[in-house]
Structure formats: structure tokens, C-alpha cells
Amino acid sequence: MRLSGKRALITGAARGIGRATAVAFAEQGADLVLLDISADVPGCPYPLGTVSQLKATAEECRAAGASVVEHVGDVRDGDDLRSAAERALDRFGGIDVLVNNAGIAAPSGRPAHEITEDEWSLMLDIDLSGSWRAMRAVLPTMVAQRSGSVINVSSTAGMVGYRYFAGYVAAKHGLVGLTRATALDYAPHGIRVNALCPGSVRDEPALEGRMLVEIARCLDVPTADHEQTFVESQPMNRLVEASDVASTAVWLASDESRQVTGAVVPVDGGFTVR
């Protein structure tokens, strides 16, 4: 029970990496506030998580023994995030871990000059500013506690460039920069801030994730062949599993990583070392 007694807020928790991380945290003893927009977003060309998917995540976590608060909220709205933080304080008395997982991969698939103002703003508002807003909501509590761990889920797109994904790459690089700057800001308060950079993560039916298939669609990769297409760029010759990302998040949330801050941790099967 590596997270026994820890209280965690996880954004984008309805499905995919968010669900895998929530369940892994629950299995390791954490209590949870699970936040998801649970609705589609105008301008994002694919469906996002739903209320029923958020409830499914919560039920899996409760079955693992966790106390769980479900919170429907939008990371573009600071009031929603402050409300989630307040619910964590009311229910659990504190917040030890923030996992900034909420994000979108599209609109993408075009060169930079073809991105509209609205598309650019939407990507940065969710993938970069959303994490900053969540940090702003929970950091006062962590400062008062003089402890905490913030895990910003970036991407290999936060470490290298990808053709036709300028907005996504800019947001994820920005999240790495935010991680490094705030790691310095809050180290004197005993708070650690790290970035987790997944590579190509397989869409597991049990987790109801669809990020990889949507990235494939942006690149006009046939959905029937998309997994093999992405495997061909992996030095370890297999896709990353959501559980690989979740187990790394457990380590970053735990006291085992107490001297790790400002780190950029790839979980990518060696993709970024080529």
C-alpha cells in the first residue's frame, strides 16, 4: 500500500490513462477526487468522457477500497477546479497528490498556418492552462501542509516535435516548462512537481480510451492498421500500456520518489532516445 493515507485529485479520470491511474492509486491505498468534464467540447472533433464513464472509474476505485468523490468539472474553469479542491478538503482534510491528466489531442493534423485562432486557443486552454489552473487550486493547501506531489501528464510531444501537431506539441512543451519552473517555486515548501511523458499508449477497451486512434485519424492512418503503424516507431517493438503510465505515476506520488522534482520522465519504450 504505497499510497496509504494519501489523498489525490485526478483530472481527466473518466477513461484511458486517467482511469488506469485512479484504479492504481486506489489499489495502493489512496483516497480520490476524480474530476472529468464528462461532456463533449465544441471544437474537439471526437467525443470526450461521459458521466457514466466517470462513475465506472469511481466504482472500480471503490471496489479496490478507496473513498471516492466524483466531480464533474472543466479544467478551463478555475471555479470548477477550486470547487473540486474544496470537496477534497471537506471529505479528506487535505490534498497530497494532484495528477493533471485532462487533455485533448485534436484539433490537429494540419500544418501550423492552417490552425485557426479558436483551435490554437482551445488546445492551449485545456492541455496547458488547465494544468496551471488545477495547480493554482491545490497548491495553497499543499503549501500549508508543507508537502505534496504534482504530476503533470505531458507527452513525448513535450520532448520532441511531431509533424502536423503544432498546437499539441506547443502545449505539451509548455507543460514541461511549467513543471520545471514550479518545481523550483515550491521545493522550499516540500512540494514536488514532475512531468510524466507517455509515448504511444494502446487504447484498451476496458479503459474506454481512444487517444491513439484519434491521433491516427488526424494523420490519416487507417484505424484497422494504426497500432502496427505506431509499433514500427517503438524501439521496444510494442505499444505502451496505460498501466505502465499509471505505475510510474504511483511512484511519483509515493514517498519513494521524495527527492525527485522537476524531472521529465518518459514512459515511451525508448522512442525519445533514438
Side-chain angles (χ1 to χ4, degrees):
M1 304 295 282
R2 298 157 68 195
L3 302 182
S4 181
K6 302 284 190 187
R7 301 148 300 183
L9 169 59
I10 302 174
T11 70
R15 64 188 189 185
I17 291 173
R19 179 180 293 178
T21 301
V23 172
F25 275 37
E27 291 172 344
Q28 292 297 326
D31 292 321
L32 303 166
V33 176
L34 304 178
L35 181 145
D36 199 278
I37 191 170
S38 301
D40 293 343
V41 170
C44 180
Y46 61 91
L48 300 182
T50 65
V51 171
S52 63
Q53 289 174 330
L54 181 60
K55 289 185 178 298
T57 301
E59 288 308 309
E60 284 195 50
C61 293
R62 291 187 181 107
S67 294
V68 180
V69 174
E70 302 160 41
H71 189 88
V72 174
D74 187 343
V75 297
R76 295 173 297 173
D77 188 329
D79 289 338
D80 279 357
L81 290 162
R82 283 188 289 273
S83 176
E86 288 166 4
R87 292 186 71 185
L89 292 175
D90 290 344
R91 178 72 173 271
F92 303 126
I95 305 171
D96 301 296
V97 183
L98 168 65
V99 181
N100 274 318
N101 173 68
I104 58 173
S108 296
R110 300 191 303 279
H113 75 280
E114 294 182 9
I115 300 170
T116 69
E117 289 275 355
D118 286 346
E119 290 170 338
W120 180 267
S121 296
L122 178 66
M123 183 68 71
L124 268 66
D125 203 13
I126 295 174
D127 285 19
L128 176 56
S129 298
S131 294
W132 165 73
R133 291 187 193 97
M135 292 169 69
R136 189 172 59 165
V138 306
L139 281 167
T141 296
M142 291 182 173
V143 168
Q145 296 170 174
R146 298 198 63 79
S147 66
S149 173
V150 177
I151 303 164
N152 291 323
V153 181
S154 181
S155 164
T156 52
M159 303 175 69
V160 300
Y162 285 94
R163 181 175 291 162
Y164 300 144
F165 278 79
Y168 185 71
V169 168
K172 292 301 188 178
H173 270 70
L175 189 52
V176 167
L178 177 65
T179 297
R180 288 172 166 154
T182 53
L184 294 175
D185 288 350
Y186 293 96
H189 302 283
I191 298 163
R192 300 180 296 109
V193 188
N194 294 289
L196 186 53
C197 294
S200 297
V201 178
R202 188 170 70 87
D203 294 327
E204 299 175 49
L207 298 175
E208 301 182 273
R210 57 184 303 158
M211 182 72 79
L212 195 63
V213 73
E214 294 302 336
I215 290 172
R217 283 184 180 141
C218 288
L219 296 172
D220 291 326
V221 174
T223 55
D225 305 325
H226 79 283
E227 286 195 0
Q228 184 55 40
T229 298
F230 286 109
V231 165
E232 289 170 1
S233 66
Q234 302 302 308
M236 294 189 74
N237 297 313
R238 60 179 181 270
L239 296 177
V240 176
E241 301 288 339
S243 59
D244 299 324
V245 183
S247 62
T248 308
V250 167
W251 177 68
L252 288 172
S254 76
D255 294 338
E256 297 165 16
S257 59
R258 61 187 176 273
Q259 287 295 326
V260 180
T261 194
V264 179
V265 183
V267 183
D268 66 353
F271 177 81
T272 54
V273 301
R274 296 176 305 163

